[in-house]
Amino acid sequence: MSETPESRLASLGITLPTPATPVANYLPWTRSGSLIVISGQLPLKDGKLLATGKLGDAVALETGTEAARYCLINLLAQLKTAVGDLSKVTRVVRLGGFIACTPEFTAHATVMNGASDLAVDVFGDAGRHARSTVGVPSLPLDAPVEVEGMFEVS
C-alpha cells in the first residue's frame, strides 16, 4: 500500500483538529474548479493560540516556526473538510504567510518554513509550492503567525 497524506500525518504524530469556525463574515474555504482556497489560519493547538506576541520581541524564532507549522495543520483540517480525503490533493499551489513582528525582524522565511516543510512532509513533491511571506504589525488575537493556502484537487 502506498503512503497517503493521512498516513504521513499519522507517522508524524499529527492528528488533525476540528476546523476552527470563522469569527467574522467570511468562509473558511472556497472552491473554484479544481482550486480550493483556505482562509488564513492561526496557530491553534487544542483550541488555543500556541503563542501570542511578535517575532523579534516576545516570540522566539523557534516558537514562530512551530506556530507556522500549527497554522498548516489547521489549514489541512479545513482542507480535509472541503475535500473529505487529502489524497485528492494533487498540488499545494501556494502558501501565504503573515508574520507579526518588530520592524527589525528579518527571519520571516525561517518562520514560514515551519509551514512549508510540513507541506512537503505530508504531500511529497506535490507539496512544493509558491509562497509569499510578509511581516505585519499585528494579527487577529495577537497571534504571531497566520497562514493561508491554495490547493489543487482532483
Side-chain angles (χ1 to χ4, degrees):
M1 184 174 157
S2 64
E3 280 191 302
T4 65
E6 270 101 356
S7 70
R8 289 184 188 121
L9 284 167
S11 72
L12 293 167
I14 297 171
T15 302
L16 295 180
T18 301
T21 54
V23 295
N25 188 16
Y26 66 92
L27 297 170
W29 58 269
T30 60
R31 181 172 183 158
S32 180
S34 64
L35 292 179
I36 295 186
V37 178
I38 309 290
S39 294
Q41 300 294 303
L42 299 178
L44 297 175
K45 179 181 180 184
D46 301 323
K48 297 183 180 184
L49 283 175
L50 177 72
T52 57
K54 293 178 178 37
L55 278 291
D57 187 25
V59 179
L61 183 61
E62 298 77 18
T63 302
T65 303
E66 183 182 11
R69 181 179 174 89
Y70 273 96
C71 289
L72 189 76
I73 290 169
N74 289 295
L75 274 170
L76 296 179
Q78 294 288 357
L79 184 58
K80 186 168 171 74
T81 297
V83 298
D85 179 354
L86 293 179
S87 293
K88 293 180 180 177
V89 175
T90 57
R91 167 142 308 300
V92 179
V93 177
R94 179 188 182 279
L95 295 178
F98 303 92
I99 314 300
C101 59
T102 63
E104 301 77 26
F105 184 79
T106 59
H108 307 79
T110 301
V111 171
M112 191 58 185
N113 281 342
S116 292
D117 292 348
L118 183 57
V120 174
D121 289 345
V122 172
F123 295 106
D125 281 340
R128 298 189 185 286
H129 53 273
R131 81 173 192 196
S132 297
T133 305
V134 179
V136 297
S138 67
L139 288 168
L141 305 177
D142 198 26
V145 181
E146 181 174 355
V147 178
E148 63 185 9
M150 180 184 299
F151 301 83
E152 183 179 38
V153 297
S154 59

